[in-house]
Amino acid sequence: MNFLFNSSGKHIANEVDGQLHSPSGKNIGHFLSSHNFFIDMRGYYLGEIIHENRFMYRKNSGYESTNFGNYGNHHLNGGFRYLRLLTSRECCRHIFWRSRISPVR
């Protein structure tokens, strides 16, 4: 799984085996290998990964009005309807909260 960020460093998506998911787990697109970018659930250009973990929309891509077909799998992460991926900040917050629970005596 690759965590993807915008130009400001905000976590905006996760890439799992060519599928693109929002941080909440919703499938928002997939990788179109023939063009080396991602398309949305309706088949339109969505963006591309640059610098290993930045997801960007290229304004001069020339594909903004091109439809590549409806290639979407409309399930959440891998078809697990209620699975939600945690960001690293949420994981740390969860671990901190659990560490403050006093043991039962």
Side-chain angles (χ1 to χ4, degrees):
M1 175 175 21
N2 296 321
F3 293 97
L4 302 175
F5 305 89
N6 65 12
S7 60
S8 301
K10 180 181 178 188
H11 177 230
I12 58 170
N14 302 305
E15 183 270 330
V16 181
D17 297 328
Q19 296 290 316
L20 194 64
H21 301 275
S22 71
S24 65
K26 181 180 178 187
N27 188 344
I28 57 175
H30 82 279
F31 189 68
L32 190 62
S33 59
S34 60
H35 288 79
N36 205 30
F37 56 69
F38 286 85
I39 60 174
D40 65 16
M41 301 305 285
R42 297 176 303 144
Y44 290 96
Y45 174 83
L46 186 58
E48 48 202 276
I49 298 174
I50 62 169
H51 302 299
E52 297 182 22
N53 67 353
R54 302 294 174 162
F55 190 76
M56 303 288 166
Y57 180 87
R58 187 182 302 267
K59 290 182 180 179
N60 64 350
S61 72
Y63 295 111
E64 49 281 332
S65 61
T66 304
N67 188 299
F68 294 93
N70 184 3
Y71 292 101
N73 171 344
H74 292 272
H75 294 290
L76 297 180
N77 279 338
F80 296 104
R81 184 169 280 270
Y82 299 105
L83 177 64
R84 182 174 184 279
L85 296 174
L86 296 175
T87 63
S88 57
R89 182 179 301 156
E90 288 173 320
C91 290
C92 293
R93 202 170 31 227
H94 181 69
I95 292 168
F96 175 73
W97 178 80
R98 290 187 63 103
S99 67
R100 295 181 59 197
I101 299 173
S102 58
V104 177
R105 294 183 183 193

Coordinates of all heavy atoms in Angstrom, one line a residue, residues 6-90:
N6 N -0.9 15.3 -1.2 CA -1.0 16.4 -2.1 C 0.3 17.3 -2.0 O 1.2 16.9 -1.3 CB -2.2 17.3 -1.9 CG -2.3 18.0 -0.5 OD1 -1.3 18.1 0.2 ND2 -3.4 18.6 -0.2
S7 N 0.4 18.4 -2.7 CA 1.6 19.2 -2.7 C 1.9 19.8 -1.3 O 3.1 20.1 -1.1 CB 1.5 20.3 -3.8 OG 0.4 21.1 -3.5
S8 N 0.9 19.9 -0.5 CA 1.1 20.4 0.9 C 1.5 19.4 1.9 O 1.7 19.7 3.1 CB -0.2 21.1 1.3 OG -0.5 22.2 0.5
G9 N 1.5 18.1 1.5 CA 1.8 17.0 2.4 C 0.6 16.4 3.1 O 0.8 15.6 4.0
K10 N -0.6 16.8 2.7 CA -1.8 16.2 3.3 C -2.1 14.9 2.7 O -2.1 14.7 1.5 CB -3.0 17.1 3.1 CG -4.3 16.6 3.7 CD -5.4 17.6 3.5 CE -6.7 16.9 4.1 NZ -7.9 17.7 3.7
H11 N -2.4 13.9 3.5 CA -2.7 12.5 3.0 C -4.1 12.6 2.3 O -5.1 12.9 2.9 CB -2.8 11.6 4.2 CG -3.2 10.2 3.9 ND1 -4.2 9.5 4.5 CD2 -2.8 9.3 2.9 CE1 -4.3 8.3 4.0 NE2 -3.5 8.2 3.0
I12 N -4.1 12.2 1.0 CA -5.3 12.4 0.2 C -5.8 11.1 -0.4 O -6.9 10.9 -0.8 CB -5.2 13.4 -0.9 CG1 -4.0 13.1 -1.8 CG2 -5.0 14.8 -0.3 CD1 -4.0 13.9 -3.1
A13 N -4.9 10.0 -0.5 CA -5.3 8.8 -1.1 C -4.3 7.7 -0.7 O -3.2 7.9 -0.2 CB -5.4 9.0 -2.6
N14 N -4.8 6.4 -1.0 CA -3.9 5.2 -0.9 C -4.0 4.5 -2.2 O -5.1 4.3 -2.7 CB -4.4 4.4 0.3 CG -4.5 5.1 1.6 OD1 -3.5 5.6 2.0 ND2 -5.7 5.1 2.2
E15 N -2.9 3.9 -2.6 CA -2.9 3.1 -3.8 C -2.6 1.7 -3.4 O -1.6 1.4 -2.6 CB -1.8 3.6 -4.8 CG -1.7 2.8 -6.1 CD -0.8 1.6 -6.0 OE1 0.2 1.7 -5.3 OE2 -1.1 0.7 -6.7
V16 N -3.5 0.7 -3.8 CA -3.3 -0.7 -3.4 C -3.5 -1.5 -4.7 O -4.6 -1.5 -5.2 CB -4.3 -1.1 -2.3 CG1 -4.2 -2.6 -2.0 CG2 -4.3 -0.2 -1.1
D17 N -2.4 -2.1 -5.2 CA -2.5 -2.9 -6.4 C -3.2 -2.3 -7.5 O -4.0 -2.8 -8.2 CB -3.2 -4.3 -6.0 CG -2.4 -5.1 -5.0 OD1 -1.2 -5.0 -5.0 OD2 -3.1 -5.8 -4.2
G18 N -2.8 -1.0 -7.8 CA -3.4 -0.3 -8.9 C -4.7 0.4 -8.7 O -5.2 1.1 -9.5
Q19 N -5.3 0.1 -7.5 CA -6.6 0.7 -7.1 C -6.3 1.9 -6.3 O -5.5 1.9 -5.4 CB -7.5 -0.3 -6.4 CG -7.9 -1.5 -7.2 CD -8.9 -1.1 -8.3 OE1 -9.8 -0.4 -8.1 NE2 -8.7 -1.7 -9.4
L20 N -7.1 3.0 -6.5 CA -6.9 4.2 -5.7 C -8.1 4.4 -4.8 O -9.2 4.3 -5.2 CB -6.8 5.4 -6.7 CG -6.3 6.7 -6.1 CD1 -4.8 6.6 -5.7 CD2 -6.4 7.8 -7.2
H21 N -7.8 4.6 -3.5 CA -8.8 4.7 -2.5 C -8.6 6.1 -1.7 O -7.5 6.5 -1.5 CB -8.7 3.6 -1.5 CG -8.9 2.3 -2.1 ND1 -10.1 1.7 -2.3 CD2 -8.0 1.4 -2.6 CE1 -10.0 0.5 -2.9 NE2 -8.7 0.3 -3.1
S22 N -9.7 6.7 -1.3 CA -9.6 7.8 -0.5 C -9.2 7.4 0.9 O -9.2 6.2 1.2 CB -11.0 8.5 -0.4 OG -11.9 7.7 0.4
P23 N -8.7 8.3 1.8 CA -8.3 7.9 3.1 C -9.4 7.2 3.9 O -9.2 6.4 4.8 CB -8.0 9.3 3.8 CG -7.5 10.1 2.7 CD -8.5 9.7 1.5
S24 N -10.7 7.5 3.6 CA -11.8 6.8 4.3 C -12.0 5.4 3.7 O -12.8 4.6 4.3 CB -13.1 7.6 4.2 OG -13.5 7.7 2.8
G25 N -11.4 5.0 2.6 CA -11.5 3.7 2.1 C -12.3 3.5 0.8 O -12.4 2.5 0.2
K26 N -13.0 4.6 0.4 CA -13.8 4.6 -0.8 C -12.9 4.4 -2.1 O -11.9 5.1 -2.2 CB -14.6 5.8 -0.9 CG -15.5 5.9 -2.1 CD -16.3 7.2 -2.2 CE -17.2 7.2 -3.4 NZ -17.8 8.5 -3.6
N27 N -13.3 3.5 -3.0 CA -12.6 3.3 -4.2 C -12.9 4.5 -5.1 O -14.0 4.8 -5.4 CB -13.0 2.0 -4.9 CG -12.1 1.7 -6.1 OD1 -11.4 2.5 -6.6 ND2 -12.2 0.4 -6.5
I28 N -11.8 5.3 -5.5 CA -12.0 6.5 -6.3 C -11.4 6.4 -7.7 O -11.6 7.3 -8.5 CB -11.5 7.7 -5.6 CG1 -10.0 7.6 -5.2 CG2 -12.3 8.0 -4.3 CD1 -9.4 8.8 -4.7
G29 N -10.7 5.3 -8.0 CA -10.2 5.1 -9.3 C -9.2 4.0 -9.4 O -9.0 3.2 -8.5
H30 N -8.5 3.9 -10.6 CA -7.5 2.9 -10.7 C -6.5 3.3 -11.8 O -6.7 4.3 -12.5 CB -8.1 1.5 -11.1 CG -8.4 1.4 -12.5 ND1 -9.6 1.9 -13.1 CD2 -7.7 0.7 -13.5 CE1 -9.6 1.5 -14.4 NE2 -8.5 0.9 -14.7
F31 N -5.3 2.6 -11.8 CA -4.2 2.9 -12.6 C -4.5 2.5 -14.0 O -4.8 1.3 -14.3 CB -2.9 2.3 -12.1 CG -1.7 2.7 -12.7 CD1 -1.2 4.0 -12.6 CD2 -1.0 1.8 -13.5 CE1 -0.1 4.4 -13.2 CE2 0.2 2.2 -14.1 CZ 0.7 3.5 -14.0
L32 N -4.2 3.3 -15.0 CA -4.4 3.0 -16.4 C -2.9 2.8 -16.9 O -2.3 3.8 -17.3 CB -5.1 4.1 -17.2 CG -5.5 3.8 -18.6 CD1 -6.5 2.6 -18.6 CD2 -6.2 5.0 -19.2
S33 N -2.4 1.6 -17.0 CA -1.0 1.4 -17.3 C -0.6 1.8 -18.7 O 0.5 2.2 -18.9 CB -0.6 -0.1 -17.0 OG -1.4 -0.9 -17.9
S34 N -1.6 1.8 -19.6 CA -1.2 2.2 -21.0 C -0.9 3.7 -21.1 O -0.3 4.1 -22.1 CB -2.4 1.8 -21.9 OG -3.6 2.5 -21.5
H35 N -1.3 4.5 -20.1 CA -1.1 5.9 -20.1 C -0.3 6.4 -18.9 O 0.0 7.6 -18.8 CB -2.4 6.7 -20.2 CG -3.0 6.6 -21.6 ND1 -3.8 5.5 -22.0 CD2 -3.0 7.4 -22.6 CE1 -4.2 5.6 -23.2 NE2 -3.8 6.8 -23.6
N36 N 0.0 5.5 -18.0 CA 0.8 5.8 -16.8 C 0.1 6.9 -15.9 O 0.8 7.7 -15.4 CB 2.2 6.2 -17.2 CG 3.2 5.9 -16.1 OD1 3.0 5.0 -15.3 ND2 4.2 6.7 -16.0
F37 N -1.2 6.8 -15.7 CA -1.9 7.7 -14.8 C -3.1 7.0 -14.3 O -3.5 5.9 -14.7 CB -2.2 9.1 -15.4 CG -3.0 9.1 -16.7 CD1 -4.3 8.7 -16.7 CD2 -2.4 9.5 -17.8 CE1 -5.0 8.7 -17.9 CE2 -3.1 9.6 -19.0 CZ -4.4 9.2 -19.0
F38 N -3.8 7.7 -13.4 CA -5.0 7.1 -12.8 C -6.3 7.7 -13.4 O -6.3 8.9 -13.8 CB -5.1 7.4 -11.3 CG -4.1 6.5 -10.5 CD1 -2.8 6.9 -10.3 CD2 -4.5 5.4 -9.9 CE1 -1.9 6.1 -9.6 CE2 -3.7 4.6 -9.2 CZ -2.3 5.0 -9.1
I39 N -7.3 6.9 -13.5 CA -8.6 7.4 -14.0 C -9.6 7.2 -12.9 O -9.5 6.4 -12.0 CB -9.1 6.7 -15.3 CG1 -9.2 5.2 -15.1 CG2 -8.1 7.1 -16.4 CD1 -9.8 4.5 -16.3
D40 N -10.7 8.1 -12.9 CA -11.7 8.0 -11.8 C -12.7 6.9 -12.2 O -12.5 6.1 -13.1 CB -12.4 9.3 -11.6 CG -13.2 9.8 -12.8 OD1 -13.5 9.0 -13.8 OD2 -13.5 11.0 -12.8
M41 N -13.7 6.8 -11.4 CA -14.7 5.7 -11.5 C -15.6 5.8 -12.8 O -16.2 4.9 -13.2 CB -15.6 5.6 -10.3 CG -14.8 5.4 -9.0 SD -13.8 3.9 -9.0 CE -15.0 2.7 -8.8
R42 N -15.5 7.0 -13.4 CA -16.3 7.2 -14.6 C -15.4 7.1 -15.9 O -15.9 7.2 -17.0 CB -17.0 8.5 -14.6 CG -18.0 8.6 -13.5 CD -18.6 10.0 -13.4 NE -17.5 11.0 -13.2 CZ -17.5 12.2 -13.8 NH1 -18.5 12.6 -14.5 NH2 -16.5 13.0 -13.5
G43 N -14.1 6.9 -15.6 CA -13.2 6.7 -16.8 C -12.4 7.9 -17.2 O -11.7 7.9 -18.2
Y44 N -12.5 9.0 -16.4 CA -11.8 10.2 -16.8 C -10.5 10.4 -16.0 O -10.3 9.9 -14.9 CB -12.7 11.5 -16.5 CG -13.9 11.6 -17.4 CD1 -15.1 11.1 -17.0 CD2 -13.7 12.2 -18.6 CE1 -16.2 11.2 -17.9 CE2 -14.8 12.3 -19.5 CZ -16.0 11.8 -19.1 OH -17.1 11.8 -20.0
Y45 N -9.5 11.1 -16.6 CA -8.2 11.4 -16.0 C -8.4 11.9 -14.6 O -9.2 12.8 -14.4 CB -7.5 12.4 -16.9 CG -6.2 12.9 -16.3 CD1 -5.0 12.1 -16.4 CD2 -6.1 14.0 -15.6 CE1 -3.8 12.5 -15.9 CE2 -4.9 14.5 -15.0 CZ -3.8 13.7 -15.2 OH -2.6 14.1 -14.6
L46 N -7.7 11.3 -13.7 CA -7.8 11.7 -12.3 C -6.5 12.4 -11.8 O -6.5 13.3 -11.0 CB -8.2 10.5 -11.4 CG -8.5 10.8 -9.9 CD1 -9.6 11.8 -9.7 CD2 -8.8 9.5 -9.3
G47 N -5.4 11.8 -12.2 CA -4.1 12.3 -11.7 C -3.0 11.3 -11.8 O -3.2 10.2 -12.3
E48 N -1.8 11.7 -11.4 CA -0.7 10.8 -11.5 C 0.3 11.0 -10.3 O 0.2 12.0 -9.6 CB 0.1 11.0 -12.8 CG 0.4 12.5 -13.1 CD 0.7 12.7 -14.5 OE1 1.8 12.5 -15.0 OE2 -0.3 13.0 -15.3
I49 N 1.1 10.0 -10.0 CA 2.0 10.0 -8.9 C 3.3 10.6 -9.4 O 3.9 10.1 -10.4 CB 2.2 8.6 -8.3 CG1 0.9 8.0 -7.8 CG2 3.3 8.6 -7.2 CD1 1.0 6.6 -7.3
I50 N 3.8 11.6 -8.6 CA 5.2 12.1 -8.9 C 5.9 12.1 -7.6 O 5.4 12.0 -6.5 CB 5.1 13.5 -9.5 CG1 4.4 14.5 -8.5 CG2 4.3 13.5 -10.8 CD1 4.6 15.9 -9.0
H51 N 7.2 12.1 -7.7 CA 8.1 12.0 -6.6 C 7.8 10.9 -5.6 O 7.8 11.1 -4.4 CB 8.2 13.4 -5.8 CG 8.6 14.5 -6.7 ND1 9.8 14.6 -7.3 CD2 7.9 15.6 -7.1 CE1 9.9 15.7 -8.0 NE2 8.8 16.3 -7.9
E52 N 7.4 9.8 -6.1 CA 7.1 8.6 -5.3 C 5.8 8.6 -4.5 O 5.2 7.6 -4.3 CB 8.3 8.2 -4.4 CG 9.5 7.9 -5.2 CD 10.7 7.5 -4.2 OE1 10.4 7.0 -3.1 OE2 11.8 7.6 -4.7
N53 N 5.4 9.7 -3.9 CA 4.2 9.7 -3.0 C 3.4 10.9 -3.1 O 2.5 11.2 -2.2 CB 4.7 9.5 -1.6 CG 5.4 10.6 -1.0 OD1 5.8 11.6 -1.7 ND2 5.7 10.6 0.3
R54 N 3.5 11.7 -4.2 CA 2.7 12.9 -4.4 C 1.7 12.6 -5.5 O 2.1 12.2 -6.6 CB 3.5 14.1 -4.7 CG 4.5 14.5 -3.7 CD 3.9 14.9 -2.4 NE 4.9 15.1 -1.4 CZ 4.7 15.7 -0.2 NH1 3.5 16.3 0.0 NH2 5.6 15.9 0.6
F55 N 0.4 12.8 -5.2 CA -0.6 12.6 -6.3 C -1.0 13.9 -6.8 O -1.5 14.8 -6.0 CB -1.8 11.8 -5.7 CG -2.8 11.4 -6.7 CD1 -2.5 10.3 -7.5 CD2 -4.0 12.1 -6.9 CE1 -3.4 9.9 -8.5 CE2 -4.9 11.6 -7.9 CZ -4.6 10.6 -8.7
M56 N -0.8 14.1 -8.1 CA -1.1 15.4 -8.7 C -1.9 15.3 -9.9 O -1.9 14.3 -10.6 CB 0.3 16.1 -9.1 CG 1.3 16.2 -8.0 SD 0.7 17.5 -6.9 CE 1.8 17.2 -5.5
Y57 N -2.7 16.4 -10.2 CA -3.5 16.5 -11.4 C -2.7 17.4 -12.3 O -2.3 18.6 -12.0 CB -4.8 17.2 -11.1 CG -5.7 17.4 -12.3 CD1 -6.5 16.4 -12.7 CD2 -5.7 18.5 -13.0 CE1 -7.4 16.5 -13.8 CE2 -6.5 18.7 -14.1 CZ -7.3 17.7 -14.5 OH -8.1 17.8 -15.6
R58 N -2.3 16.9 -13.5 CA -1.5 17.6 -14.5 C -2.5 18.4 -15.3 O -3.2 17.9 -16.2 CB -0.7 16.7 -15.3 CG 0.3 17.4 -16.2 CD 1.1 16.4 -17.1 NE 1.8 15.5 -16.3 CZ 3.1 15.6 -15.9 NH1 3.7 16.7 -16.3 NH2 3.7 14.7 -15.3
K59 N -2.5 19.8 -15.2 CA -3.4 20.6 -15.9 C -3.2 20.6 -17.4 O -4.1 20.8 -18.2 CB -3.2 22.1 -15.4 CG -3.7 22.3 -14.0 CD -3.6 23.8 -13.6 CE -4.1 24.0 -12.2 NZ -4.0 25.3 -11.8
N60 N -2.0 20.3 -17.9 CA -1.7 20.3 -19.3 C -1.6 18.8 -19.8 O -0.9 18.6 -20.8 CB -0.4 21.0 -19.6 CG 0.8 20.4 -19.0 OD1 0.7 19.5 -18.2 ND2 2.0 20.9 -19.4
S61 N -2.3 17.9 -19.2 CA -2.3 16.5 -19.6 C -2.9 16.3 -21.0 O -2.5 15.4 -21.7 CB -3.0 15.6 -18.6 OG -4.3 15.8 -18.7
G62 N -3.9 17.1 -21.3 CA -4.6 16.9 -22.6 C -5.7 15.9 -22.5 O -6.3 15.6 -23.5
Y63 N -5.9 15.2 -21.4 CA -6.9 14.2 -21.2 C -8.1 14.5 -20.4 O -8.9 13.7 -20.1 CB -6.2 12.9 -20.6 CG -5.1 12.3 -21.5 CD1 -3.8 12.3 -21.1 CD2 -5.5 11.6 -22.7 CE1 -2.8 11.7 -21.9 CE2 -4.5 11.0 -23.4 CZ -3.2 11.1 -23.1 OH -2.2 10.5 -23.8
E64 N -8.2 15.8 -20.0 CA -9.2 16.2 -19.0 C -10.7 15.9 -19.6 O -11.6 15.6 -18.8 CB -9.1 17.6 -18.5 CG -8.9 18.7 -19.6 CD -7.5 18.8 -20.1 OE1 -6.5 18.5 -19.4 OE2 -7.4 19.3 -21.2
S65 N -10.9 15.9 -20.9 CA -12.2 15.6 -21.4 C -12.3 14.2 -22.1 O -13.3 13.9 -22.6 CB -12.6 16.7 -22.4 OG -11.8 16.7 -23.5
T66 N -11.2 13.4 -22.0 CA -11.2 12.1 -22.7 C -11.8 11.1 -21.7 O -11.4 11.0 -20.5 CB -9.8 11.7 -23.1 OG1 -9.2 12.7 -23.9 CG2 -9.8 10.4 -23.8
N67 N -12.7 10.2 -22.2 CA -13.2 9.2 -21.4 C -12.6 7.9 -21.8 O -12.6 7.5 -23.0 CB -14.7 9.1 -21.5 CG -15.3 8.1 -20.6 OD1 -15.0 6.9 -20.6 ND2 -16.2 8.6 -19.7
F68 N -12.0 7.2 -20.8 CA -11.3 5.9 -21.1 C -12.1 4.7 -20.8 O -11.7 3.6 -20.7 CB -10.0 5.9 -20.3 CG -9.0 6.9 -20.7 CD1 -8.9 8.1 -20.1 CD2 -8.1 6.6 -21.8 CE1 -8.0 9.1 -20.5 CE2 -7.2 7.6 -22.2 CZ -7.1 8.8 -21.5
G69 N -13.4 4.9 -20.5 CA -14.3 3.9 -20.2 C -14.6 3.8 -18.7 O -13.8 4.3 -17.9
N70 N -15.6 3.1 -18.3 CA -15.9 2.9 -16.9 C -15.2 1.6 -16.4 O -15.7 0.5 -16.6 CB -17.4 2.7 -16.7 CG -17.8 2.6 -15.3 OD1 -17.0 2.7 -14.4 ND2 -19.1 2.5 -15.0
Y71 N -14.0 1.8 -15.8 CA -13.2 0.7 -15.4 C -13.2 0.6 -13.9 O -12.4 0.0 -13.3 CB -11.8 1.0 -15.8 CG -11.6 0.9 -17.3 CD1 -11.5 2.1 -18.1 CD2 -11.5 -0.3 -17.9 CE1 -11.3 2.0 -19.4 CE2 -11.3 -0.4 -19.3 CZ -11.2 0.8 -20.0 OH -11.1 0.7 -21.4
G72 N -14.2 1.1 -13.2 CA -14.2 1.1 -11.7 C -14.8 -0.1 -11.1 O -15.7 -0.7 -11.6
N73 N -14.2 -0.5 -10.0 CA -14.7 -1.4 -9.0 C -15.3 -0.6 -7.9 O -14.5 0.0 -7.2 CB -13.6 -2.4 -8.6 CG -14.1 -3.3 -7.4 OD1 -15.1 -3.0 -6.8 ND2 -13.3 -4.3 -7.2
H74 N -16.6 -0.5 -7.8 CA -17.2 0.4 -6.8 C -17.2 0.0 -5.4 O -17.9 0.5 -4.6 CB -18.6 0.8 -7.3 CG -18.6 1.6 -8.6 ND1 -18.5 2.9 -8.6 CD2 -18.6 1.2 -9.9 CE1 -18.4 3.4 -9.9 NE2 -18.5 2.3 -10.7
H75 N -16.5 -1.1 -5.0 CA -16.4 -1.5 -3.6 C -15.4 -0.7 -2.9 O -14.6 0.0 -3.5 CB -16.0 -3.0 -3.6 CG -17.0 -3.9 -4.1 ND1 -18.2 -4.1 -3.5 CD2 -17.0 -4.7 -5.3 CE1 -18.9 -5.0 -4.3 NE2 -18.2 -5.3 -5.3
L76 N -15.5 -0.7 -1.6 CA -14.4 -0.1 -0.8 C -13.2 -1.0 -0.8 O -13.3 -2.1 -1.4 CB -15.0 0.1 0.6 CG -16.1 1.0 0.8 CD1 -16.5 1.1 2.3 CD2 -15.8 2.4 0.3
N77 N -12.2 -0.6 -0.2 CA -10.9 -1.4 -0.2 C -11.1 -2.9 -0.3 O -11.5 -3.5 0.6 CB -10.2 -1.1 1.1 CG -9.4 0.2 1.1 OD1 -9.1 0.7 0.1 ND2 -9.1 0.7 2.3
G78 N -10.7 -3.4 -1.5 CA -10.7 -4.8 -1.7 C -12.1 -5.4 -1.5 O -12.2 -6.6 -1.4
G79 N -13.2 -4.7 -1.6 CA -14.5 -5.2 -1.4 C -15.0 -5.3 0.0 O -16.1 -5.8 0.3
F80 N -14.1 -4.9 1.0 CA -14.5 -4.9 2.4 C -15.3 -3.6 2.6 O -14.7 -2.6 2.7 CB -13.3 -5.1 3.3 CG -12.6 -6.4 3.1 CD1 -11.4 -6.4 2.4 CD2 -13.2 -7.5 3.6 CE1 -10.8 -7.7 2.2 CE2 -12.5 -8.8 3.4 CZ -11.3 -8.8 2.7
R81 N -16.6 -3.7 2.7 CA -17.4 -2.5 2.8 C -17.1 -1.6 3.9 O -17.2 -0.4 3.8 CB -18.9 -3.0 2.9 CG -19.9 -1.9 2.8 CD -21.2 -2.4 2.7 NE -21.5 -2.8 1.3 CZ -22.0 -1.9 0.4 NH1 -22.3 -0.7 0.7 NH2 -22.2 -2.3 -0.8
Y82 N -16.7 -2.1 5.1 CA -16.5 -1.2 6.2 C -15.0 -1.1 6.7 O -14.8 -0.5 7.7 CB -17.4 -1.7 7.4 CG -18.8 -1.6 7.0 CD1 -19.5 -2.8 6.8 CD2 -19.5 -0.4 6.9 CE1 -20.8 -2.8 6.4 CE2 -20.8 -0.4 6.5 CZ -21.5 -1.6 6.3 OH -22.8 -1.5 5.9
L83 N -14.1 -1.5 5.9 CA -12.7 -1.4 6.2 C -12.3 0.1 6.0 O -12.6 0.7 5.0 CB -11.9 -2.3 5.3 CG -10.4 -2.2 5.5 CD1 -10.0 -2.7 6.9 CD2 -9.7 -3.1 4.4
R84 N -11.6 0.6 7.0 CA -11.1 2.0 6.9 C -9.6 1.9 7.2 O -9.2 1.4 8.2 CB -11.8 2.8 7.9 CG -11.4 4.3 7.8 CD -12.2 5.1 8.8 NE -11.9 6.5 8.7 CZ -10.9 7.1 9.2 NH1 -10.0 6.4 10.0 NH2 -10.7 8.4 9.1
L85 N -8.8 2.6 6.3 CA -7.4 2.6 6.5 C -7.1 3.8 7.4 O -7.6 4.9 7.3 CB -6.7 2.8 5.2 CG -6.8 1.7 4.2 CD1 -6.2 2.1 2.8 CD2 -6.2 0.5 4.7
L86 N -6.2 3.5 8.4 CA -5.8 4.6 9.3 C -4.6 5.3 8.8 O -3.7 4.7 8.3 CB -5.5 4.0 10.7 CG -6.7 3.3 11.4 CD1 -6.1 2.7 12.7 CD2 -7.7 4.3 11.8
T87 N -4.5 6.6 9.0 CA -3.3 7.3 8.6 C -2.3 7.1 9.8 O -2.7 6.6 10.8 CB -3.6 8.8 8.5 OG1 -4.0 9.3 9.8 CG2 -4.6 9.1 7.4
S88 N -1.1 7.4 9.5 CA -0.1 7.2 10.6 C -0.4 8.0 11.8 O -0.2 7.6 12.9 CB 1.3 7.5 10.0 OG 1.4 8.8 9.6
R89 N -0.9 9.2 11.6 CA -1.3 10.0 12.8 C -2.4 9.4 13.6 O -2.3 9.4 14.8 CB -1.7 11.4 12.3 CG -2.0 12.4 13.5 CD -2.5 13.7 13.0 NE -1.4 14.3 12.2 CZ -1.6 15.2 11.3 NH1 -2.8 15.7 11.1 NH2 -0.6 15.8 10.6
E90 N -3.4 8.8 12.9 CA -4.5 8.1 13.7 C -3.9 6.9 14.4 O -4.4 6.6 15.5 CB -5.6 7.7 12.7 CG -6.4 8.9 12.2 CD -7.3 8.5 11.1 OE1 -7.0 7.7 10.3 OE2 -8.4 9.1 11.1

